[in-house]
């Protein structure tokens, strides 16, 4: 707060104390790494939770070794109870959506590279930046704490639909303190993201270096900037929703709880609230959240694709425009999550239309990616592979979105695994591919060492094939009407589908195990990898014109002056087929 | 910390010469607007959803508070304009603003006290719930604004090189809070 | 003048019917795999309402033409059967459309569905949430001691319906949000606590199907289900009789 | 010294044993619980949703809120000494068992002492969740998948606790937690027996889940057997 008007922090020497350097650091690079590290912990935690769930789904009454140690009530004798399955489901969703898909591509890479890409020495408000991470970290701790209370984590899913999430312990285990911790955690997370978004916007607007006009911003910075605009408004709505939810839970108000509910023989002392109000508030945040996860990944992938294709995209401006359109339209489509909630058919139509419209910019971007590959000189290094994999899974996940955008089809598919397959493909896997591409691409800059490319390629192929094996069959299950969020498949009509579930589970175990290769590569390369040159990918943006890793003030006291746009690939440059943004050399004629 | 904050603006090399503090405040205003829009939309939906809405008569002190807050908006504007010529005069007007802001908070506290003596608590009815939620959250934002003024006053006392951005940002924020309060008062007063 | 009015009515009726029958302005050709159901529903509704519309116009036109003022002092008569006949005919006519659906209340709760039929009196007793006593099979909170209408209400754990008869489900949640999903009916609808949501459908095939919950409702969500039994009208009447004993 | 200690211990143990074995020589209260009026008819339970349970019954299971026998007797009435007897210093070491079989609680009413071990077992092929709706004691709600070890719990305050399974809403039973060792639950013929009562003046309480409580005084002197009958008023709804 007190530092609100101080835009720059780096005019003095870098901090030397461990606490100032690594923990309460004001340096955007350290904060970016902290966000990335938090996302890394969360993603492996979330993955282990998904393993436990997939195991339980196909070997329902089998004991899981060691699970008893994690929770005595949740796994008597090691056999997972239905409520513990839902606890894990909630935690998997919450960790992945908030602490992975929001943290890594946006807050993590964005914090590290946005200031460097615009030639700034730090974020506009370093103190807010530090607060934003530590508030997020506390949110993480609060969420994880729910594993260690007797009742366990909440069982209401990451969407926390009221009144299940609002009425408290009568509705089931985990809905007393577990749900409180969840709501507090998400509230804190919103605060962290609001501070972060505020910083991103102010930094992009005010701290660009000389010559860095808005049209010369690299596409990844554009994506982070658009995302922070989306995030600012989305989290500003989720925060009030959390406040009202907490008040309903602890202060006896009735925002979301209607009158006359009888839960576990107990007539609830509430009146008149509206469960749909929660759904409106939540999805007003929830749908933009999808784009908070995917737009940075789009930016990262576009950025990497250009460096791999050695040519600019067909039209970068159209991609910017499409991303802005997506951000804008994402606020008009929340109702499509509520086609089944008793809205009148007219509202369903009203929400169906922009939902179909929003697929247009996404389709445009996808076609630009694919079209740009025509005539490229593709370099198939690991970041490029993950970027191309991103395009593939994004198409797969996007196409299934057409089904769900139509109310009449959504009515059949809404509660099924089709939706699980859809959002895991388009939001989960696609964004994770963006994160992985970014990691392989920027790791040399962040650590000063190269990652092992062979291990990276093995990791890519196993992951790429693996995710299709896992998530494509989800769509088939959906067509068969397999209901999601079931801990056990007891229904008669689900029995023939169990072999397919077994296949998915085994694919999930193997694909998950393949991620250990990545983890090994990450840790090994951090300490033993080959030293990275300044610009290993022959890329053009400003992060590649400083040392690897960059000095404390990013450019070693040099005042970077930007001469041109970020997409000068496939040209006759002095050092190859590219020209750096800050390179003083004259503009050559484009030569494809 | 303060030594760092007193470094001269590095914006000389930036193409955009606006101050980050000012853009930051505008961005924050957008976010806060969105939050309160969410709250007041909830109020409208909630009012229509149940038949348990008990419309409460607002305590009269709120109108006095409104006048105080609007007056403080004027004083901070005066402070901002005087600041260009005279630091001492600006400090006077800022202190006045601070006092008026504190008076507003005291007035709000009195209003809460009045409602409580009438037996209207947070959970009494949806209208009282929204009344407390909106007024308390607005008061928290006011508190944040007062902290900003204290910071600005301390800066005027110690800094020889005065950057106008901080007072500009604080003034924008304060005007916004005054406007927000009038909006909230109308929403709480009106029976839809 | 009466003849003219009759002719105009005839022209209106025929003029309205022809484009519909000719499909001059109709929905575009269906190119989805799913749309045939909507088309079918649309055709059925159109046929029923269309026939009613044309028939009404024709009868009106006929009456207008036949019963104009003849000036020779013919004694005014009533339609044979009087108002009673009109009311019965109206009920019979509209009833097949509006009144015929069999009303059934479905309550979703942690973790099951319970169905309530109005019983012989055709009336649902009021609900008293404080009277709910599940151990005593009082899932809805009926108060037969005080509410006469409640005494013959039939509570069932399965949804038993007659085939080819419109069903009007009144959806009511006892505790938290649930959903009603029958794959074969292509129906999925959320229960929203605090709202009573109507849903209409007609089952066309006798058989036993599963009803499942698709909205996360708590630990027993996976096991929240019931059976839909579509019976012939005779079997259904038999079942209903058996239940009300 | 060592010897003396062990001698003392033996003597103490023997004394206690003597007291304990002497106690059964006390009086006994027997009686019968009946009703007047028309009780509600038991209703059949439809278990269609859980086929693995439904197939265990050829005729449907009936509700057990009011279970009557011939001669207007009433089953599942808890009769216990509510006043007059000293509070038990320690709970018996044996555990009581509450079983879930065929989506039905056995027994319907389980009486046990404060701090006595309670074991809940699942003999079904489906998961149950045991949710005793305690108001005075700590409320808990635990699922028990098939084949998992029994759930062990204790209650530290006397209370009549309604027990339900949310997964199978028709399942309903009661825990009668009492702070005396003198309690009984009336059987199929409405009869109960409280043996081993030392001489004294007692208040006898009978509790029925639908019809409430009744009390009467009874005085025991010596080894006599006294009779105490309870009559509840039944309501048709």
């Amino acid at each position: 707060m007190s530092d609100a008007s101080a835009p720059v922090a780096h005019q003095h020497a870098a901090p030397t104390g461990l606490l100032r350097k690594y923990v309460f650091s004001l340096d955007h690079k350290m904060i970016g790494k902290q966000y990335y590290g938090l996302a890394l912990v969360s993603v492996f935690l979330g993955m282990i939770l998904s393993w436990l769930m997939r195991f339980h789904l196909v070997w329902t009454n089998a004991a899981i070794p060691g699970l008893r140690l994690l929770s005595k009530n949740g796994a008597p004798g090691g056999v997972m109870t239905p409520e513990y399955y839902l606890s894990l489901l909630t935690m998997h969703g919450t960790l992945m959506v908030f602490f992975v898909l929001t943290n890594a591509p946006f807050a993590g890479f964005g914090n590290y590279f946005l200031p460097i890409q615009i030639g700034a020495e730090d974020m506009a408000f370093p103190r807010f930046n530090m607060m934003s991470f530590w508030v997020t970290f506390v949110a993480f701790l609060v969420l994880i704490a729910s594993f260690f209370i007797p009742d366990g984590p909440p069982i209401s899913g990451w969407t926390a639909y009221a009144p299940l999430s609002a009425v408290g312990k009568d509705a089931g285990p985990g809905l007393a303190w577990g749900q409180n911790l969840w709501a507090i955690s998400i509230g804190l997370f919103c605060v962290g993201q609001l501070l972060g978004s505020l910083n991103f916007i102010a930094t992009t607007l005010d701290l660009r270096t000389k010559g860095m006009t808005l049209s010369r911003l690299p596409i990844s910075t554009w994506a982070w900037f658009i995302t922070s605009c989306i995030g600012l408004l989305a989290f500003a709505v989720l925060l009030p929703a959390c406040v009202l939810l907490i008040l309903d839970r602890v202060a006896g108000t009735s925002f979301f709880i209607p009158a006359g509910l009888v839960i576990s023989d107990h007539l609830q002392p509430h009146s008149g609230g509206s469960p749909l109000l929660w759904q409106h508030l939540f999805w007003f945040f929830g749908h933009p959240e999808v784009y908070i996860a995917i737009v940075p990944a789009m930016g990262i992938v576009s950025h990497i694709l250009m460096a791999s294709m050695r040519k600019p995209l067909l039209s970068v401006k159209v991609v910017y425009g499409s991303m802005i359109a997506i951000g804008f339209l994402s606020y008009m489509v929340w109702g499509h999550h509520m086609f089944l909630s008793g809205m009148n058919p007219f509202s369903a139509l009203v929400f169906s239309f922009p939902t179909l419209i929003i697929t247009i910019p996404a389709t445009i971007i996808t076609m630009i990616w694919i079209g740009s590959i025509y005539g490229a000189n593709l370099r198939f290094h690991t970041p490029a592979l993950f970027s191309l994999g991103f395009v593939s899974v994004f198409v797969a996940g996007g196409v299934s979105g057409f089904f769900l955008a139509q109310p009449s089809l959504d009515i059949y598919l809404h509660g099924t695994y089709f939706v699980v397959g859809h959002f895991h493909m388009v939001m989960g896997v696609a964004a994770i591919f963006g994160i992985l591409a970014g990691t392989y691409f920027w790791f040399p800059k962040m650590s000063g060492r190269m990652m092992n490319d062979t291990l990276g390629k093995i990791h890519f192929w196993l992951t790429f094939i693996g995710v299709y094996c896992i998530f494509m069959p989800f769509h088939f299950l959906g067509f068969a009407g397999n209901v999601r969020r079931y801990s056990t498949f007891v229904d008669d009509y689900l029995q023939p589908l169990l072999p397919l579930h077994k296949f998915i589970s085994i694919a999930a175990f193997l694909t998950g195990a393949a991620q250990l290769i990545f983890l090994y590569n990450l840790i090994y390369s951090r300490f033993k990898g080959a030293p990275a040159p300044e610009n290993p990918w022959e890329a053009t943006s400003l992060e590649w014109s400083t040392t690897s890793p960059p000095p404390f003030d990013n450019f070693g006291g040099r005042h970077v002056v930007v001469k041109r746009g970020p997409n000068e690939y496939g040209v006759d440059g002095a050092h190859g087929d590219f020209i750096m943004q800050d390179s003083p050399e004259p503009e050559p004629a484009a030569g494809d | 910390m303060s030594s760092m904050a007193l470094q001269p603006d590095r914006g000389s090399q930036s193409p955009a010469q606006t101050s980050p503090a000012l853009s930051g405040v505008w961005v924050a205003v957008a976010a806060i607007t969105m939050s309160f829009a969410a709250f007041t939309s909830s109020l409208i939906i909630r009012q229509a959803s149940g038949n348990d809405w008990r419309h409460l008569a607002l305590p009269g002190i709120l109108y006095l508070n409104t006048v105080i807050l609007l007056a403080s908006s004027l004083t901070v504007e005066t402070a901002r304009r005087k600041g260009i010529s005279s630091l001492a005069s600006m400090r006077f007007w800022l202190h006045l603003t601070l006092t008026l802001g504190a008076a507003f908070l005291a007035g709000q506290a009195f209003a809460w006290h009045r409602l409580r003596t009438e037996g209207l608590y947070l959970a009494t009815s949806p209208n009282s719930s929204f009344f407390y939620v909106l007024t308390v959250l607005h008061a928290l934002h006011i508190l944040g604004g007062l902290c900003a003024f204290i910071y600005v006053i301390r800066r005027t006392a110690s800094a020889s090189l005065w950057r106008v951005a901080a007072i500009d940002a604080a003034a924008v924020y304060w005007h916004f809070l005054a406007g927000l309060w009038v909006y909230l008062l109308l929403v709480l007063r009106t029976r839809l | 003048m009466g003849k003219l009015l009759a002719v105009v009515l005839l022209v209106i009726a025929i003029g309205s019917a022809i484009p519909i029958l000719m499909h001059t302005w109709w929905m575009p050709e269906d190119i989805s795999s799913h749309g045939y159901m909507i088309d079918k529903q649309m055709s059925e509704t159109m046929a029923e309402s269309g026939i009613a519309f044309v028939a009404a116009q024709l009868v009106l036109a006929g009456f207008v033409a036949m019963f104009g003022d003849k000036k020779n002092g013919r004694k005014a008569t009533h339609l044979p059967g009087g108002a009673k006949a009109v009311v019965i005919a109206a009920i019979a006519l509209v009833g097949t459309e509006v009144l015929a659906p069999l009303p059934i209340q479905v309550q979703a709760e942690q973790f099951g569905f319970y169905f309530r039929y109005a019983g012989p009196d055709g009336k649902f007793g009021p609900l008293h949430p404080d009277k709910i006593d599940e151990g005593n099979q009082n899932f809805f909170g009926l108060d037969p001691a005080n509410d006469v209408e409640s005494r013959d209400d039939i509570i069932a754990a399965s949804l038993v319906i007659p085939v080819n008869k419109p069903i009007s489900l009144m959806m009511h949640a006892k505790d938290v949000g649930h959903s009603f999903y029958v794959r074969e009916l292509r129906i999925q609808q959320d229960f929203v606590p605090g709202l009573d949501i109507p849903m209409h459908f007609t089952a066309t095939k006798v058989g036993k199907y599963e009803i499942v919950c698709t909205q996360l409702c708590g630990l027993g969500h996976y096991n929240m289900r019931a059976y839909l039994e579509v019976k012939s009208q005779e079997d259904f009447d038999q079942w209903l009789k058996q239940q009300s004993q | 010294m060592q010897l003396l200690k062990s001698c003392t211990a033996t003597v103490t143990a023997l004394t206690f044993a003597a007291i304990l074995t002497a106690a059964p020589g006390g009086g006994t209260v027997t009686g019968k619980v009946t009703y007047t009026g028309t009780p509600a008819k038991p209703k059949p339970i439809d278990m269609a949703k859980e086929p693995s349970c439904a197939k265990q019954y050829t005729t449907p299971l009936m509700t057990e809120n009011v279970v009557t026998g011939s001669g207007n007797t009433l089953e599942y009435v808890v009769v216990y000494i509510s006043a007059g007897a000293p509070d038990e210093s320690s709970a018996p070491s044996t555990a009581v068992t509450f079983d879930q079989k065929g989506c039905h609680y056995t027994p319907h009413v389980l009486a046990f002492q404060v701090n006595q071990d309670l074991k809940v077992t699942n003999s079904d092929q489906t998961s149950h969740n045991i949710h005793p709706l305690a108001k005075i004691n700590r409320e808990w709600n635990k699922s028990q998948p098939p084949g998992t070890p029994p759930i062990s719990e204790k209650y530290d305050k006397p209370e009549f606790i309604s027990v339900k399974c949310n997964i199978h809403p028709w399942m309903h039973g009661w825990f009668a937690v009492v702070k005396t060792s003198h309690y009984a639950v009336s059987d199929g013929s409405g009869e109960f027996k409280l043996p081993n009562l030392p001489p004294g003046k007692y208040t006898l309480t009978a509790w029925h889940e639908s019809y409430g409580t009744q009390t009467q005084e009874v005085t025991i002197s010596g080894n006599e057997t006294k009779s105490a009958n309870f009559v509840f008023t039944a309501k048709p709804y």
Side-chain angles (χ1 to χ4, degrees), chain B residues 48-124:
Chain B
S49 82
N51 51 6
D52 57 342
W53 189 269
R54 306 273 172 275
H55 208 73
L56 55 86
L58 296 180
I61 181 110
L62 290 182
Y63 302 103
L64 178 65
N65 291 350
T66 311
V67 173
I68 292 175
L69 194 62
L70 291 175
S72 75
S73 201
L74 288 179
T75 56
V76 76
E77 191 58 24
T78 316
R80 196 175 72 84
R81 294 183 180 189
K82 298 269 187 204
I84 298 164
S85 52
S86 156
L87 270 184
S89 159
M90 186 175 94
R91 265 201 294 279
F92 167 76
W93 285 103
L94 277 177
H95 276 116
L96 194 58
T97 311
L98 203 57
T99 316
L100 287 173
F104 174 80
L105 283 185
Q108 295 292 82
F110 182 75
W112 299 325
H113 173 74
R114 275 296 299 276
L115 287 185
R116 290 172 72 85
T117 51
E118 286 172 32
L120 292 165
Y121 297 93
L122 177 62
T124 306

Side-chain angles (χ1 to χ4, degrees), chain C residues 111 134-137 223 225, chain D residues 49-51 63 65 164 166:
Chain C
F111 296 98
E134 300 197 317
N136 199 17
Q137 297 277 296
N223 200 356
R225 59 168 167 168
Chain D
K49 102 162 217 186
E50 193 62 77
T63 53
N65 294 49
K164 74 176 294 157
N166 294 95

Side-chain angles (χ1 to χ4, degrees), chain A residues 229-377:
Chain A
C229 295
I230 303 175
L232 189 81
L233 302 185
F235 286 107
V237 171
L238 185 59
L239 183 57
C242 284
V243 169
L244 297 184
L245 181 65
I246 292 170
L247 288 178
D248 264 7
R249 296 180 50 77
V250 303
T253 55
S254 304
F255 295 111
F256 303 124
I257 310 172
L261 298 189
V262 180
I263 304 176
S264 287
D265 295 357
H266 179 206
L267 184 60
Q268 301 294 314
H270 291 275
S271 70
S274 164
L276 288 179
L277 175 59
W278 170 264
Q279 295 186 24
H280 280 295
L281 290 174
F282 186 85
W283 286 119
F284 190 85
F285 148 80
H287 200 80
E289 166 62 29
V290 173
Y291 298 100
I292 292 171
I294 204 67
V295 168
M298 284 175 166
I300 293 170
V301 162
S302 306
H303 192 75
I304 296 172
L305 270 181
M306 283 191 273
S308 327
M309 296 188 305
R310 314 309 300 165
K311 61 175 273 198
L313 291 175
L314 285 177
S315 167
V316 182
K317 291 234 163 63
V318 171
V319 177
Y320 296 160
S322 300
M323 290 199 296
I324 292 169
I326 285 174
F328 183 70
L329 286 170
S330 68
Y331 285 99
M332 311 172 94
V333 296
W334 81 90
H336 74 220
H337 295 271
M338 298 163 63
F339 281 156
L340 308 184
S341 304
M343 283 196 312
N344 68 50
F346 178 70
S347 334
L349 203 67
V350 164
F351 283 115
S352 172
F353 185 64
T355 305
L356 285 168
I357 295 281
I358 202 170
T359 58
I360 293 174
T363 313
I364 291 173
I365 296 180
T366 315
M367 286 170 73
I368 284 185
W369 284 327
I370 297 171
S372 301
I373 297 172
Y374 179 84
N377 300 307

Side-chain angles (χ1 to χ4, degrees), chain A residues 1-12 26 119-122 124-125 127 194 197-198 201-202 205-213 232-237 239-241 243-244 247 251-257 271-274 276-277 280-281 284 331 558-560, chain B residues 1-2 4-39 41-43 45-46 49-52 122-126 129-130 133 137 144-145 147-148 151 155 163 165-166 169:
Chain A
M1 177 97 266
S2 63
D3 200 31
S5 62
V8 185
H10 281 174
Q11 296 291 315
H12 59 103
L26 295 174
E121 294 174 3
D122 205 329
F125 312 111
R127 275 196 170 64
L194 286 172
S197 298
L198 192 151
I201 295 173
L205 290 179
D206 294 332
L207 294 191
R208 279 169 285 126
T209 192
K210 198 173 175 192
M212 182 59 89
T213 59
L232 189 81
L233 302 185
F235 286 107
V237 171
L239 183 57
V243 169
L244 297 184
L247 288 178
T253 55
S254 304
F255 295 111
F256 303 124
I257 310 172
S271 70
S274 164
L276 288 179
L277 175 59
H280 280 295
L281 290 174
F284 190 85
Y331 285 99
R558 185 161 63 93
H559 282 173
V560 188
Chain B
M1 181 201 94
S2 57
M4 190 164 28
L6 287 178
Q7 294 302 322
D9 195 347
R10 201 200 50 140
S12 53
Q13 46 175 294
S14 163
Q17 288 295 331
T18 49
S19 146
L22 199 54
S23 7
V25 158
W26 279 112
V27 175
V29 162
I32 298 168
T33 306
M34 201 66 195
S35 279
F36 278 93
F39 275 122
S41 311
S42 302
L43 181 147
I45 293 179
R46 181 63 182 80
S49 82
N51 51 6
D52 57 342
L122 177 62
T124 306
S125 91
S129 302
F130 273 106
V133 169
L137 286 175
C147 291
Y151 168 74
R155 289 282 306 281
R163 289 215 322 272

Side-chain angles (χ1 to χ4, degrees), chain D residues 17-63:
Chain D
I19 291 168
L20 283 174
T21 44
T28 303
V29 176
T30 60
K32 199 169 208 177
V33 187
T34 53
Y35 67 87
T36 57
T38 318
K41 271 198 244 127
K43 301 180 188 89
I45 295 172
D46 187 341
M47 296 188 190
K49 102 162 217 186
E50 193 62 77
S52 70
C53 287
K55 71 178 182 214
Q56 298 181 26
Y57 300 94
T58 44
T59 54
L61 191 71
M62 305 303 261
T63 53

Side-chain angles (χ1 to χ4, degrees), chain C residues 152-169:
Chain C
D152 64 348
D153 286 5
I154 296 165
I155 311 293
S158 298
L159 175 57
V160 182
I161 57 168
V163 70
N164 289 328
K165 181 160 181 146
I167 305 296
S168 168
L169 270 189

